[in-house]
Amino acid sequence: MRVLHTADWHLGQHFLTGQERTTEQQAFLDWLLITVKAQAIDTLVIAGDIFDTQSPSYTAQEQYYTFLVRMQSTGCRDIVVVGGNHDSPTMLNASRQLLRQLRIHVVGGVPADHTEQVLHLAGPDGRPGLVVCAVPFLRDRDIRLAVAGESPDDRQLRIRQSIAGHYAALSELDVVRRLREQDMAVLATGHLYAAGGEAREGAERDVHIGGLGLVGAEHFPAAFDYVALGHLHRPQVVGGRAHIRYSGSPVPLSFTEANDKQQVLLLEFKGAGAPTITTLPVPVARRLQRFHGTLDEVEADILAYDNAAFPLVAWADVLVRSDETPAEVQRRVQAVLELKKLEVVAPRGVRHQRATEQPDLAADLAPLAQLHELTVDEVFGRRVAGLPPERAAALTATFGELRQLLGEAELAAGTGETPG
């Protein structure tokens, strides 16, 4: 069995000042179709965050469904799609029954019957070849009931135990154990923040509201030969265990991801046991580039920049530390930007800081300082940042649950459905 692991597409994402990412994301999808066919992939696994929001645009939905249809001509027999924290379970599951006829298996949220998460996929010879425990993002309502008066530490322990228990229960199902005893590989998916994984500041860390790094590599049962994770955008191995991996986002989604190596992971199973893992680099259509320094340094770095390897104009974040007037800084930097065909994407354009001022390290490390540049989660996180940790955790938990309920209610209002 040859399996391709990818995640965190975030179709429909808009950049800092509203730029659409449609062209870049379509370039990835076109490349993925070619790669699936060239690599003779049997199963494609998408580990969550297919969309950037719970109410994706029509353009984003068209990209998704068109891709699934085009996949039918690649020779890939099965596609497994699980929901992430950015996805709406209701929206993903709406087409589940129809897509199943095309051997596209969608698990947008945890089903009432947990056995529906266990998929038996055929190998190249038509015989059973792979078991997939298709676990989506586990929301609080999926894994625990609130307990009045519990402390933050008790709550985190309960959530950790519930997540680990969910995976353990799937691994111990009779059908999973029986097939593994017949030398069949078992793959599990997940969309979460695992301890030991490197997360960046912001919403990427807050995948499980109120507790970070709740699950470690040791919480995934030994019955799983590979764990295909989504949520963290940088490709990485969890806890030093090569078979538990984040594939990372195939398109850099912020300037903090500019130096990441975009990739998908090719897994080759030969019966039960860990697969052979090969990294397939994803070509990037648009470069995200930071230019920070003195006026002379920024000018030199921009003039030295070569965008020839990228088909689209690069997007730049520019911070100049100089005692020149703002007008002079803008004039000089804009001249070299136009020469090199770079586009600054920031509400304030080229950011200027007096050289005699104390460097604003926070702005340098996290340039998303304007309200309209922040996600809802990031805004709320900053509001509670000064509170005691247990108070901040409790408020963030409540806020996350309210957001989820409101998102589902809005989606239901648009479709005429009743939220589950």
Side-chain angles (χ1 to χ4, degrees):
M1 290 287 287
R2 292 171 67 82
V3 179
L4 207 60
H5 168 201
T6 180
D8 295 287
W9 294 0
H10 288 269
L11 299 179
Q13 191 217 24
H14 286 74
F15 210 59
L16 300 183
T17 50
Q19 294 92 340
E20 291 188 355
R21 314 298 301 277
T22 305
T23 302
E24 299 151 84
Q25 290 166 332
Q26 189 58 53
F28 161 68
L29 295 177
D30 291 342
W31 173 87
L32 186 58
L33 286 162
I34 294 170
T35 300
V36 166
K37 188 171 184 178
Q39 294 290 340
I41 299 301
D42 299 306
T43 300
L44 174 66
V45 174
I46 311 171
D49 280 359
I50 293 87
F51 297 105
D52 193 57
T53 70
Q54 294 195 5
S55 301
S57 67
Y58 289 115
T59 299
Q61 293 184 55
E62 183 179 25
Q63 278 190 305
Y64 170 64
Y65 288 114
T66 299
F67 170 80
L68 294 179
V69 171
R70 292 176 68 193
M71 276 288 294
Q72 303 307 302
S73 65
T74 63
C76 180
R77 286 188 304 280
D78 292 278
I79 302 174
V80 178
V81 179
V82 300
N85 60 303
H86 280 251
D87 297 314
S88 162
T90 303
M91 183 266 166
L92 284 182
N93 285 342
S95 56
R96 179 176 54 185
Q97 297 298 332
L98 174 62
L99 294 178
R100 186 176 296 170
Q101 304 306 310
L102 301 176
R103 298 190 64 81
I104 301 169
H105 314 276
V106 179
V107 183
V110 176
D113 181 356
H114 287 194
T115 62
E116 292 181 12
Q117 294 171 92
V118 179
L119 310 173
H120 315 148
L121 307 183
D125 57 2
R127 299 169 59 189
L130 180 69
V131 178
V132 176
C133 294
V135 182
F137 172 60
L138 298 174
R139 291 172 166 80
D140 275 8
R141 67 185 184 193
D142 298 323
I143 57 177
R144 73 173 185 93
L145 297 174
V147 176
E150 68 178 345
S151 69
D153 287 344
D154 289 341
R155 182 178 185 276
Q156 289 198 22
L157 178 61
R158 284 170 55 80
I159 295 176
R160 182 184 300 115
Q161 291 173 337
S162 297
I163 294 173
H166 188 91
Y167 281 98
L170 291 177
S171 72
E172 293 167 2
L173 289 172
D174 288 341
V175 63
V176 175
R177 287 193 293 183
R178 184 175 68 253
L179 291 173
R180 197 168 194 281
E181 289 170 358
Q182 297 174 12
D183 195 37
M184 194 177 302
V186 180
L187 178 150
T189 68
H191 194 91
L192 46 77
Y193 173 33
E198 181 182 325
R200 297 176 177 83
E201 294 300 325
E204 192 182 72
R205 292 186 61 89
D206 298 328
V207 65
H208 261 293
I209 305 299
L212 304 178
L214 294 169
V215 179
E218 69 276 9
H219 291 106
F220 295 104
F224 298 149
D225 298 304
Y226 185 84
V227 182
L229 295 177
H231 179 57
L232 300 188
H233 296 169
R234 187 180 70 82
Q236 55 195 290
V237 172
V238 174
R241 304 190 186 186
H243 71 292
I244 305 176
R245 295 202 181 203
Y246 289 96
S247 63
S249 175
V251 173
L253 300 172
S254 70
F255 284 111
T256 61
E257 300 172 26
N259 295 321
D260 290 351
K261 303 298 183 184
Q262 279 65 44
Q263 64 178 42
V264 296
L265 296 168
L266 170 61
L267 321 172
E268 188 166 6
F269 292 93
K270 295 181 179 179
T276 300
I277 303 172
T278 304
T279 297
L280 302 181
V282 175
V284 175
R286 187 191 307 279
R287 177 74 172 147
L288 304 181
Q289 185 71 28
R290 278 177 163 172
F291 299 98
H292 292 185
T294 66
L295 182 54
D296 289 342
E297 289 171 342
V298 167
E299 280 185 313
D301 289 345
I302 292 175
L303 287 171
Y305 177 74
D306 184 2
N307 199 59
F310 304 93
L312 299 178
V313 171
W315 286 346
D317 169 55
V318 181
L319 172 63
V320 177
R321 299 188 184 95
S322 171
D323 287 330
E324 295 281 358
T325 65
E328 177 64 10
V329 169
Q330 292 285 343
R331 184 191 67 77
R332 287 176 56 178
V333 172
Q334 197 59 45
V336 290
L337 284 171
E338 291 175 0
L339 183 65
K340 301 299 292 189
K341 297 182 178 179
L342 286 159
E343 178 184 353
V344 175
V345 284
R348 292 176 290 167
V350 175
R351 294 184 290 134
H352 177 212
Q353 185 178 80
R354 291 288 181 184
T356 53
E357 293 176 2
Q358 186 69 23
D360 186 352
L361 297 180
D364 195 18
L365 294 173
L368 312 184
Q370 300 299 306
L371 181 61
H372 62 277
E373 299 177 65
L374 300 173
T375 68
V376 173
D377 289 327
E378 288 168 337
V379 172
F380 192 84
R382 294 188 180 201
R383 293 295 299 169
V384 301
L387 297 176
E390 63 276 6
R391 180 62 175 160
L395 287 172
T396 307
T398 301
F399 179 69
E401 291 165 0
L402 286 172
R403 282 199 65 208
Q404 176 61 26
L405 290 172
L406 285 171
E408 293 180 357
E410 290 174 359
L411 186 64
T415 60
E417 298 178 5
T418 300

